[in-house]
Amino acid sequence: MGSWQDEVRGALDGLAYGARSALSPRVLHGAAVELGWLTTHLAMYPLGLVGGGTPALPARLNLAGLGPAQRGLLVSDVRAAGTPILLAHGIIDNHTIFALMRRQLLRRGFSGLHTFSYSPLTLDVRRTAERMGREIEAICEATGSDQVHVIGHSLGGLIARYYVQRLGGDARVHTCVTLGTPHQGTVAAKLLPWPLVKQVRPDSDLMAELAEPAPDCRTRFVAFYSDVDQLIVPQRRARIRHPDLLASNVRVHGVGHLSLPFHGEVVHRITGVLAHLDDEEPRTA
């Protein structure tokens, strides 16, 4: 009983720590933006329940009908434009969270867009990562591409990282972008006894496994984290801190957890990263 009480007390202390600046203008602005996107997303959410996902978009093989930015990417780097992109949503969510990002990726010239969906009743990150691996293999077979990029929001990013780091997915994933992903766990997860949520506690077996050496991992990671993320407590736990991973951690100011896939700065940075396949992101704290 004492152990359970200590866990709850620790979680509440962490949440209280994260809420100390809750009345600052920056946080209030982020909360207002978050509320706006939440309202929009709730209206779109039912669309994601129809058909189980969005169909892949065919790769462009000519310049007809393309705008300047799209033509520029296709002409300057055909490989970058043609590399498939897999979008993985967070827990209790669906592919509609990427509606704005999909539109921006298309405008930039990326066309091989795919989605990875999983049930909110999912109980294990490892098994879901295995299924992601099978889906990526199917994408590579269908498109003829040797590699893909993965963009994961929240738990979707952790599923992608596990596939890359622990299941040999670095052979397939060129760049893994994560948005508000609990790479080091989140203290807030101690408030819920759900098996899947337990896996994202800082002291979970899954976190310990991801901390193990990965000396040959070749995937480029870019982890976006927000200084006002309500679900990652403390927020710095959304950073990747692993000596063997080529990881860039990008801090975003005043953006809530749900708003990250919609935020213009984040989307712009992602399109830039994926347009330059051979550029390594610097390791940052």
Side-chain angles (χ1 to χ4, degrees), residues 41 45 49 89-97 118 120 153 258:
H41 184 49
Y45 186 89
L49 303 178
H89 59 75
I91 192 172
I92 316 180
D93 213 330
N94 60 44
H95 65 83
T96 57
I97 193 72
Y118 55 95
H153 178 231
L258 181 64

Side-chain angles (χ1 to χ4, degrees), residues 13-142:
D13 288 344
L15 291 175
Y17 174 81
R20 287 175 185 172
S21 60
L23 296 180
S24 69
R26 171 177 54 82
V27 175
L28 290 176
H29 177 266
V33 174
E34 184 86 342
L35 180 60
W37 283 122
L38 176 61
T39 302
T40 302
H41 184 49
L42 287 176
M44 297 171 58
Y45 186 89
L47 299 177
L49 303 178
V50 180
T54 54
L57 298 170
R60 296 294 300 240
L61 299 178
N62 59 70
L63 303 180
L66 297 183
Q70 295 170 311
R71 289 198 302 270
L73 178 63
L74 193 57
V75 170
S76 64
D77 195 334
V78 174
R79 186 166 66 96
T83 300
I85 300 173
L86 183 65
L87 306 172
H89 59 75
I91 192 172
I92 316 180
D93 213 330
N94 60 44
H95 65 83
T96 57
I97 193 72
F98 292 111
L100 178 62
M101 187 178 296
R102 284 176 59 86
R103 185 159 61 247
Q104 293 302 318
L105 287 168
L106 287 170
R107 287 178 177 174
R108 185 63 186 268
F110 301 98
S111 59
L113 305 182
H114 306 254
T115 58
F116 176 76
S117 296
Y118 55 95
S119 168
L121 300 179
T122 296
L123 298 178
D124 185 59
V125 168
R126 299 175 180 89
R127 291 184 179 179
T128 308
E130 292 174 357
R131 189 165 67 81
M132 175 181 281
R134 293 192 293 271
E135 191 151 333
I136 288 175
E137 289 300 320
I139 291 171
C140 289
E141 182 177 356

Side-chain angles (χ1 to χ4, degrees), residues 220-231:
R220 173 179 62 167
F221 287 91
V222 183
F224 289 86
Y225 71 102
S226 170
D227 55 1
V228 296
D229 194 313
Q230 309 92 334
L231 299 184

Side-chain angles (χ1 to χ4, degrees), residues 116-282:
F116 176 76
S117 296
Y118 55 95
S119 168
L121 300 179
T122 296
L123 298 178
D124 185 59
V125 168
R126 299 175 180 89
R127 291 184 179 179
T128 308
E130 292 174 357
R131 189 165 67 81
M132 175 181 281
R134 293 192 293 271
E135 191 151 333
I136 288 175
E137 289 300 320
I139 291 171
C140 289
E141 182 177 356
T143 62
S145 177
D146 293 331
Q147 290 189 307
V148 304
H149 302 308
V150 180
I151 302 174
H153 178 231
S154 195
L155 187 68
L158 198 64
I159 293 169
R161 179 183 169 188
Y162 190 89
Y163 164 66
V164 167
Q165 186 180 331
R166 303 297 300 172
L167 300 178
D170 61 313
R172 286 297 195 193
V173 179
H174 180 283
T175 300
C176 180
V177 178
T178 67
L179 310 171
T181 291
H183 288 291
Q184 302 175 59
T186 172
V187 175
K190 293 186 176 182
L191 294 175
L192 295 175
W194 190 8
L196 183 63
V197 176
K198 286 182 178 180
Q199 290 189 319
V200 297
R201 293 177 178 179
D203 56 354
S204 72
D205 291 342
L206 183 73
M207 292 296 121
E209 188 175 350
L210 288 174
E212 293 178 5
D216 300 320
C217 189
R218 295 161 283 178
T219 294
R220 173 179 62 167
F221 287 91
V222 183
F224 289 86
Y225 71 102
S226 170
D227 55 1
V228 296
D229 194 313
Q230 309 92 334
L231 299 184
I232 311 299
V233 181
Q235 288 86 6
R236 63 178 180 274
R237 288 189 172 275
R239 299 178 298 179
I240 296 178
R241 304 297 298 273
H242 194 296
D244 295 331
L245 300 184
L246 180 63
S248 173
N249 295 298
V250 183
R251 185 180 183 183
V252 184
H253 300 282
V255 181
H257 185 81
L258 181 64
S259 303
L260 281 167
F262 296 98
H263 194 259
E265 176 188 341
V266 173
V267 175
H268 177 73
R269 180 70 178 265
I270 290 174
T271 59
V273 167
L274 300 187
H276 301 88
L277 296 186
D278 298 324
D279 292 349
E280 290 188 354
E281 287 284 311

